[in-house]
Amino acid sequence: MDLKVSDLGCRRGEDLILSGVSFGVKAGRALILRGPNGSGKTTLLRNLVGLSRRPSGAVNASTDLMAYAAHADGIKSQLTVEENLRFWAQVFGTNDIDAAVEHFSLEPLLRRHAQHLSAGQKRRLGLSRLLLTGRPIWMLDEPTVSLDVENVKIFAEMIENHLATGGIAVIATHVDLGLKNADILEISQFRPRHDEQQNPFLDGAFS
């Protein structure tokens, strides 16, 4: 299915920071969110996956169709790499962790506890979770942090493979991933007018 966002408003705390956000992403394509630090990329992603307040607008896709990868890797430090993968596989109702292990070359790390991984290894483990979700829409917030050049390429290949199967990716990143089927959305264009920021009626019913 395609993703369609219509007239979305986004708040950070009590402040309205984005207004009238509208865009569409067709199956098999990625959307790259661009904007300076603090412009609302993270807030928009959290809004789309249902983790922050939505004072206005609509999203046509259920959050059950979305997988979210944020700044935190979502790793249980007391578990091994393999135990982390199997935990996620159980949560998402999948049984096979082989694709995740193979794509990010995690085989040598399977018995290592996550607390003993380097920052880059933790990031690879966290991103590999996406391959276990079975969800068609990936929402990714600065996913390449802590990855070296080679693993950025490996990550980009994972995105390309996801798109090739009809998936969708919405990615906040300053890194050029070289994706073939990607569009760019500059979110600074959705900064609200001063009168909108001060309008108390925007605190009404949430969709």
Side-chain angles (χ1 to χ4, degrees):
M1 66 174 295
D2 298 342
L3 173 66
K4 186 176 181 180
V5 176
S6 304
D7 199 27
L8 202 66
C10 298
R11 285 190 179 279
R12 182 188 295 135
E14 295 303 316
D15 298 326
L16 183 71
I17 61 169
L18 296 173
S19 175
V21 180
S22 299
F23 62 83
V25 189
K26 292 186 178 297
R29 296 195 65 83
L31 183 70
I32 309 299
L33 303 180
R34 290 283 166 79
N37 291 338
S39 60
K41 299 184 296 295
T42 294
T43 301
L44 174 57
L45 287 170
R46 289 178 56 83
N47 186 304
L48 293 173
V49 299
L51 295 178
S52 67
R53 300 167 60 184
R54 184 180 300 164
S56 61
V59 179
N60 73 324
S62 165
T63 56
D64 291 337
L65 298 175
M66 302 176 185
Y68 179 49
H71 294 149
D73 293 312
I75 292 171
K76 293 184 177 294
S77 60
Q78 71 274 23
L79 299 183
T80 66
V81 169
E82 181 175 6
E83 288 169 339
N84 269 281
L85 290 172
R86 295 202 180 282
F87 170 78
W88 290 329
Q90 183 176 16
V91 167
F92 292 112
T94 57
N95 297 313
D96 189 2
I97 67 171
D98 291 348
V101 171
E102 181 179 356
H103 193 87
F104 277 107
S105 301
L106 297 174
E107 178 69 33
L109 304 175
L110 286 178
R111 292 180 176 81
R112 187 177 301 181
H113 283 81
Q115 61 187 329
H116 300 309
L117 298 177
S118 70
Q121 290 168 338
K122 288 179 180 178
R123 177 56 66 168
R124 286 158 53 199
L125 174 57
L127 291 174
S128 70
R129 170 178 47 176
L130 293 167
L131 296 172
L132 303 174
T133 65
R135 296 186 174 184
I137 303 174
W138 291 357
M139 300 289 187
L140 311 176
D141 192 1
E142 298 294 349
T144 61
V145 171
S146 300
L147 293 183
D148 57 24
V149 173
E150 183 59 33
N151 279 296
V152 169
K153 292 180 181 178
I154 291 172
F155 168 73
E157 290 174 1
M158 184 177 79
I159 298 296
E160 291 280 22
N161 292 340
H162 179 63
L163 301 181
T165 61
I168 287 173
V170 180
I171 312 170
T173 181
H174 296 288
V175 175
D176 183 3
L177 298 173
L179 301 177
K180 299 175 183 177
N181 297 305
D183 302 301
I184 294 176
L185 180 68
E186 174 54 63
I187 69 168
S188 296
Q189 64 182 296
F190 300 115
R191 293 183 63 181
R193 302 186 308 272
H194 181 73
D195 61 328
E196 287 182 304
Q197 291 175 313
Q198 302 301 319
N199 189 346
F201 295 105
L202 287 174
D203 283 320
F206 300 140
S207 57

Short mmCIF file of all heavy atoms in Angstrom, two decimals, residues 10 17 34 59 63 95 101-102 106 114 120 133 141 143 147 151 161 173 181 185 193 195 197:
data_model
loop_
_atom_site.label_atom_id
_atom_site.label_comp_id
_atom_site.label_asym_id
_atom_site.label_seq_id
_atom_site.Cartn_x
_atom_site.Cartn_y
_atom_site.Cartn_z
N CYS A 10 2.24 18.87 14.23
CA CYS A 10 3.13 18.16 15.17
C CYS A 10 3.54 19.10 16.29
O CYS A 10 3.95 20.24 16.04
CB CYS A 10 4.38 17.66 14.46
SG CYS A 10 4.09 16.47 13.14
N ILE A 17 5.29 22.83 16.19
CA ILE A 17 6.52 23.08 15.42
C ILE A 17 6.36 22.76 13.94
O ILE A 17 7.16 23.21 13.13
CB ILE A 17 7.72 22.30 15.99
CG1 ILE A 17 7.47 20.80 15.94
CG2 ILE A 17 8.02 22.76 17.41
CD1 ILE A 17 8.71 19.99 16.25
N ARG A 34 14.61 16.13 5.21
CA ARG A 34 15.74 17.03 5.37
C ARG A 34 15.31 18.27 6.12
O ARG A 34 14.17 18.72 6.02
CB ARG A 34 16.31 17.41 4.01
CG ARG A 34 17.01 16.26 3.28
CD ARG A 34 18.39 15.99 3.86
NE ARG A 34 18.94 14.72 3.42
CZ ARG A 34 19.51 14.51 2.24
NH1 ARG A 34 19.58 15.49 1.36
NH2 ARG A 34 20.00 13.32 1.95
N VAL A 59 -3.18 10.22 8.89
CA VAL A 59 -2.24 9.30 8.24
C VAL A 59 -3.04 8.08 7.83
O VAL A 59 -3.78 7.52 8.65
CB VAL A 59 -1.10 8.89 9.20
CG1 VAL A 59 -0.14 7.92 8.52
CG2 VAL A 59 -0.35 10.12 9.70
N THR A 63 -0.40 2.22 12.54
CA THR A 63 0.93 2.08 13.12
C THR A 63 1.37 0.62 13.20
O THR A 63 2.55 0.33 13.33
CB THR A 63 0.98 2.71 14.53
OG1 THR A 63 -0.03 2.11 15.34
CG2 THR A 63 0.73 4.21 14.46
N ASN A 95 10.17 -16.34 13.01
CA ASN A 95 10.99 -17.39 13.61
C ASN A 95 12.43 -17.41 13.11
O ASN A 95 13.32 -17.91 13.79
CB ASN A 95 10.35 -18.76 13.34
CG ASN A 95 8.98 -18.89 13.97
OD1 ASN A 95 8.82 -18.56 15.14
ND2 ASN A 95 8.02 -19.37 13.20
N VAL A 101 21.04 -11.90 10.71
CA VAL A 101 22.42 -12.26 11.06
C VAL A 101 23.33 -12.11 9.84
O VAL A 101 24.42 -11.52 9.92
CB VAL A 101 22.49 -13.70 11.60
CG1 VAL A 101 23.94 -14.15 11.76
CG2 VAL A 101 21.75 -13.81 12.92
N GLU A 102 22.86 -12.61 8.72
CA GLU A 102 23.68 -12.59 7.51
C GLU A 102 23.90 -11.19 6.98
O GLU A 102 25.02 -10.82 6.59
CB GLU A 102 23.04 -13.46 6.43
CG GLU A 102 23.83 -13.52 5.14
CD GLU A 102 23.18 -14.40 4.09
OE1 GLU A 102 22.15 -15.04 4.41
OE2 GLU A 102 23.71 -14.46 2.97
N LEU A 106 26.57 -10.66 11.64
CA LEU A 106 26.53 -10.76 13.10
C LEU A 106 26.94 -12.12 13.63
O LEU A 106 27.02 -12.30 14.86
CB LEU A 106 25.11 -10.43 13.59
CG LEU A 106 24.61 -9.01 13.29
CD1 LEU A 106 23.15 -8.86 13.71
CD2 LEU A 106 25.47 -7.96 13.98
N ALA A 114 25.31 -7.88 24.66
CA ALA A 114 25.18 -6.60 23.97
C ALA A 114 25.92 -5.47 24.68
O ALA A 114 26.40 -4.54 24.03
CB ALA A 114 23.70 -6.25 23.83
N GLY A 120 29.24 0.90 16.96
CA GLY A 120 28.87 0.47 15.61
C GLY A 120 28.21 -0.89 15.59
O GLY A 120 27.25 -1.12 14.84
N THR A 133 10.74 -7.59 11.55
CA THR A 133 9.42 -7.06 11.85
C THR A 133 8.33 -7.52 10.89
O THR A 133 7.16 -7.62 11.27
CB THR A 133 9.43 -5.52 11.83
OG1 THR A 133 9.71 -5.07 10.49
CG2 THR A 133 10.50 -4.98 12.78
N ASP A 141 15.13 7.21 12.05
CA ASP A 141 15.64 8.50 12.52
C ASP A 141 17.16 8.44 12.65
O ASP A 141 17.69 7.79 13.56
CB ASP A 141 14.99 8.83 13.87
CG ASP A 141 15.23 10.28 14.27
OD1 ASP A 141 15.88 11.02 13.51
OD2 ASP A 141 14.77 10.65 15.36
N PRO A 143 19.53 6.77 11.03
CA PRO A 143 19.89 5.36 11.22
C PRO A 143 21.37 5.06 11.05
O PRO A 143 21.84 4.01 11.52
CB PRO A 143 19.07 4.64 10.14
CG PRO A 143 18.87 5.68 9.08
CD PRO A 143 18.71 6.97 9.82
N LEU A 147 27.77 4.12 12.30
CA LEU A 147 28.16 3.17 11.27
C LEU A 147 29.35 3.70 10.48
O LEU A 147 29.42 4.89 10.16
CB LEU A 147 27.00 2.91 10.30
CG LEU A 147 25.78 2.18 10.83
CD1 LEU A 147 24.79 1.96 9.69
CD2 LEU A 147 26.15 0.85 11.47
N ASN A 151 29.52 -0.13 6.44
CA ASN A 151 28.22 -0.53 6.97
C ASN A 151 27.11 0.42 6.57
O ASN A 151 25.94 0.02 6.54
CB ASN A 151 28.30 -0.70 8.49
CG ASN A 151 28.89 -2.04 8.89
OD1 ASN A 151 28.31 -3.10 8.60
ND2 ASN A 151 30.05 -2.01 9.52
N ASN A 161 16.68 -3.36 -0.84
CA ASN A 161 16.00 -4.66 -0.88
C ASN A 161 14.58 -4.54 -0.36
O ASN A 161 13.65 -5.16 -0.90
CB ASN A 161 16.77 -5.69 -0.04
CG ASN A 161 18.12 -6.04 -0.64
OD1 ASN A 161 18.37 -5.82 -1.83
ND2 ASN A 161 19.01 -6.56 0.18
N THR A 173 17.76 11.81 7.63
CA THR A 173 19.21 11.62 7.56
C THR A 173 19.86 12.75 6.78
O THR A 173 19.25 13.32 5.87
CB THR A 173 19.56 10.27 6.90
OG1 THR A 173 20.98 10.11 6.87
CG2 THR A 173 19.03 10.19 5.47
N ASN A 181 15.38 4.92 -5.66
CA ASN A 181 13.95 5.24 -5.67
C ASN A 181 13.60 6.07 -4.44
O ASN A 181 12.90 5.61 -3.54
CB ASN A 181 13.11 3.96 -5.71
CG ASN A 181 13.35 3.15 -6.96
OD1 ASN A 181 13.21 3.67 -8.07
ND2 ASN A 181 13.74 1.90 -6.81
N LEU A 185 12.08 15.47 1.04
CA LEU A 185 11.08 16.41 1.57
C LEU A 185 11.78 17.34 2.55
O LEU A 185 12.31 16.90 3.57
CB LEU A 185 9.95 15.65 2.28
CG LEU A 185 8.84 16.52 2.87
CD1 LEU A 185 8.04 17.20 1.76
CD2 LEU A 185 7.93 15.70 3.77
N ARG A 193 2.91 29.35 11.08
CA ARG A 193 2.89 30.80 11.25
C ARG A 193 2.81 31.14 12.73
O ARG A 193 2.38 30.32 13.55
CB ARG A 193 1.68 31.40 10.53
CG ARG A 193 1.61 31.10 9.04
CD ARG A 193 0.44 31.87 8.40
NE ARG A 193 -0.80 31.64 9.12
CZ ARG A 193 -1.63 30.64 8.85
NH1 ARG A 193 -1.34 29.74 7.92
NH2 ARG A 193 -2.77 30.52 9.54
N ASP A 195 0.76 33.00 14.35
CA ASP A 195 -0.59 32.95 14.91
C ASP A 195 -1.03 31.51 15.16
O ASP A 195 -1.80 31.24 16.07
CB ASP A 195 -1.59 33.67 14.01
CG ASP A 195 -1.67 33.06 12.62
OD1 ASP A 195 -0.65 32.55 12.14
OD2 ASP A 195 -2.77 33.09 12.04
N GLN A 197 1.07 29.08 16.09
CA GLN A 197 1.80 28.64 17.28
C GLN A 197 1.11 29.08 18.56
O GLN A 197 1.17 28.40 19.58
CB GLN A 197 3.22 29.21 17.26
CG GLN A 197 4.09 28.60 16.15
CD GLN A 197 5.45 29.27 16.09
OE1 GLN A 197 5.54 30.49 16.10
NE2 GLN A 197 6.48 28.47 16.02
#
